[in-house]
């Protein structure tokens, strides 16, 4: 089946530090992979996506590459800001119609000035 | 204009009561979802509807009953509320019925507190 395993948090960084949040997936078929961000008091928002192997999604300085050989979709940012403090979710959309929808357990990121 | 709107935003009620949460989307999407988020931020899918038909029904107590009067609305009714129902409930929608490869759009959540 389709699932994701996401790096446990919380993660605390200083401003301008490098960020990596690990996500690995299992899949039957070829699912699209997403990262969502949830700011305090809000719902999830799409951050970036990749639809096939070797695709790189990017947005707001964040990047993630769909790696089939390692079944990974790690989220990275070279220099985090205080405003990046949020909860980040990896999502395996599933490769079949009406397949299971699976979100990672969420990683709470706190960035200090 | 709000794309996915939920009401109410906050819901405080006593154990044993029955309550409903409403969700509407103006994106023209075919598929809608309900999720429960606990205090540790873990997000669990509860239900999914495609064009008013139930397509995902996870292991959820039968006190929870979704209802979709049309594809733009998916409401959640909860009977006999229990302390463990305290959580944030999110509605979401996506543009296809494929259940998969399109991003979901989320509402801002309904914060349910059971006294």
């Amino acid at each position: 089946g389709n699932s994701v395993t996401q790096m446990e948090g919380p993660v605390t960084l200083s401003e301008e530090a490098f960020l990596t949040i690990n996500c690995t997936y299992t899949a039957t078929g070829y699912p699209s992979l997403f990262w969502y961000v949830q700011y305090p008091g809000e719902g999830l928002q799409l951050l970036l996506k990749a639809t096939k192997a070797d695709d790189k999604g990017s947005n707001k300085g964040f990047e993630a590459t769909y790696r089939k050989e390692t079944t990974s979709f790690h989220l990275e940012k070279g220099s985090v800001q205080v405003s990046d403090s949020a909860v980040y979710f990896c999502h395996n959309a599933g490769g079949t119609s009406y397949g299971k929808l699976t979100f990672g357990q969420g990683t709470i990121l706190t960035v200090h000035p | 204009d709000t794309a996915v709107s939920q009401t109410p935003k906050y819901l405080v009620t006593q154990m044993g009561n029955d309550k409903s949460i409403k969700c509407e989307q103006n994106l023209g999407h075919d598929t809608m979802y309900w999720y429960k988020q606990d205090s540790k931020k873990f997000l669990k899918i509860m239900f999914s509807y495609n064009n008013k038909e139930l397509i995902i029904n996870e292991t959820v107590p039968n006190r929870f009953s979704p209802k979709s009067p049309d594809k733009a609305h998916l409401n959640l009714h909860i009977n006999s509320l229990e302390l463990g129902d305290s959580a944030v409930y999110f509605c979401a929608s996506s543009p296809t019925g494929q259940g998969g490869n399109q991003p979901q759009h989320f509402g801002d959540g309904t914060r349910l507190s059971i006294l």
Side-chain angles (χ1 to χ4, degrees), chain A residues 56-76:
Chain A
K56 178 187 279 188
S58 61
N59 186 25
K60 299 182 180 179
F62 291 89
E63 293 183 339
T65 301
Y66 190 160
R67 299 200 185 280
K68 190 177 174 184
E69 64 277 11
T70 54
T71 62
S72 66
F73 192 56
H74 304 324
L75 182 68
E76 296 182 337

Side-chain angles (χ1 to χ4, degrees), chain B residues 10-102:
Chain B
Y10 298 96
L11 185 52
V12 181
T13 189
Q14 292 194 325
M15 206 163 48
N17 284 350
D18 303 338
K19 291 292 178 185
S20 292
I21 306 172
K22 295 186 176 182
C23 180
E24 176 181 4
Q25 54 96 3
N26 63 7
L27 298 166
H29 291 168
D30 296 322
T31 306
M32 296 184 72
Y33 315 83
W34 276 110
Y35 291 89
K36 179 181 180 181
Q37 186 176 46
D38 63 23
S39 59
K40 295 183 178 180
K41 305 299 184 183
F42 186 77
L43 198 65
K44 178 182 176 182
I45 190 165
M46 302 173 69
F47 302 104
S48 177
Y49 272 71
N50 175 250
N51 281 320
K52 303 192 297 176
E53 285 192 32
L54 181 66
I55 57 171
I56 292 176
N57 183 357
E58 292 297 303
T59 305
V60 176
N62 57 16
R63 300 181 294 104
F64 290 79
S65 53
K67 191 163 288 186
S68 182
D70 56 63
K71 73 173 192 177
H73 296 83
L74 180 61
N75 303 323
L76 183 65
H77 187 76
I78 315 169
N79 288 326
S80 303
L81 281 157
E82 300 178 356
L83 291 175
D85 298 332
S86 295
V88 183
Y89 292 84
F90 286 100
C91 178
S93 69
S94 66
T96 72
Q98 297 302 305
N101 294 315
Q102 296 293 330

Side-chain angles (χ1 to χ4, degrees), chain A residues 30-32 34 36 38 40-46 49 51 87 89 91 93-101 103-106 108, chain B residues 9 31 33 35 37 40-43 45 48 50 55-58 88 90 97-109 111:
Chain A
Y30 302 96
S32 292
F34 303 90
Y36 288 81
Q38 183 182 23
E42 298 182 9
L44 281 70
Q45 304 172 24
L46 178 66
K49 69 175 183 179
T51 58
V87 186
F89 293 89
H91 177 44
T96 58
S97 297
Y98 308 118
K100 293 290 186 181
L101 306 177
F103 282 84
Q105 66 265 38
I108 300 172
Chain B
K9 190 175 176 73
T31 306
Y33 315 83
Y35 291 89
Q37 186 176 46
K40 295 183 178 180
K41 305 299 184 183
F42 186 77
L43 198 65
I45 190 165
S48 177
N50 175 250
I55 57 171
I56 292 176
N57 183 357
E58 292 297 303
V88 183
F90 286 100
Q98 297 302 305
N101 294 315
Q102 296 293 330
Q104 296 180 33
H105 296 250
F106 283 78
D108 283 338
R111 285 141 189 87

